[in-house]
Amino acid sequence: MVATTTGNRTVYVDQRATGGQWRTLGTFALPAGDANRVAVSRWRSTGGLVIADAVRLTRV
């Protein structure tokens, strides 16, 4: 989930598909200030793990 100026946006990503390379989630307008938020979660009822080594925000 990415908290944007127009509300929360859900982005689904399977990191295994690119062998650990950086994945682009998209371009979003973030609220002013220093409280940018990206949440990582396992939004499913079946088993599994969520592993995130890093989240990178880049100003464009």
Side-chain angles (χ1 to χ4, degrees):
M1 187 272 306
V2 180
T4 73
T5 56
T6 58
N8 295 338
R9 298 276 310 272
T10 300
V11 181
Y12 298 97
V13 177
D14 184 350
Q15 186 66 27
R16 297 172 297 183
T18 60
Q21 300 298 312
W22 283 104
R23 296 288 304 268
T24 299
L25 301 181
T27 302
F28 307 96
L30 303 177
D34 61 358
N36 297 315
R37 291 181 175 85
V38 177
V40 179
S41 180
R42 180 182 58 92
W43 290 89
R44 47 193 288 192
S45 60
T46 60
L49 298 173
V50 173
I51 300 171
D53 292 328
V55 174
R56 177 174 60 186
L57 301 177
T58 305
R59 182 181 294 241
V60 292

